[in-house]
Amino acid sequence: RGRRTVTRTDTPRQSLADHEREYLLQVLEEVDWVIAGPKGAAKALGMPESTLRGRMASLGIMRPKGR
């Protein structure tokens, strides 16, 4: 009663950093790589611009050329 069965799969799991990187890239694409301001990614993510820029640097995310 109250127990859950956990099924193990053979598919590799994505690391937390990989998941965060993909999510940040998705949001950045959605806002056309605008980081600050009322329509920027930082606002959409609910974090300070400096935090977003720090996470981007840590995860190796760079704005594509021409954006």
Side-chain angles (χ1 to χ4, degrees), residues 4 6 9-10 14-15 20 22 24-25 27 39 41 46 50 53 60 63 67:
R4 293 185 345 194
V6 177
T9 63
D10 291 331
Q14 189 176 31
S15 74
E20 182 180 16
E22 283 185 18
L24 291 180
L25 285 168
V27 172
K39 295 184 179 181
S50 59
R53 290 185 187 279
R63 180 189 308 254
R67 288 255 161 158

Side-chain angles (χ1 to χ4, degrees), residues 4-5 8 12 24 31-33 36 40 44-45 52 56 63-64:
R4 293 185 345 194
T5 303
R8 189 177 169 121
L24 291 180
V31 298
D32 200 28
W33 287 84
L45 292 163
L52 175 55
M56 289 172 65
R63 180 189 308 254

Side-chain angles (χ1 to χ4, degrees), residues 52-66:
L52 175 55
R53 290 185 187 279
R55 295 306 305 141
M56 289 172 65
S58 295
L59 296 167
I61 298 173
M62 295 172 45
R63 180 189 308 254
K65 290 185 179 185

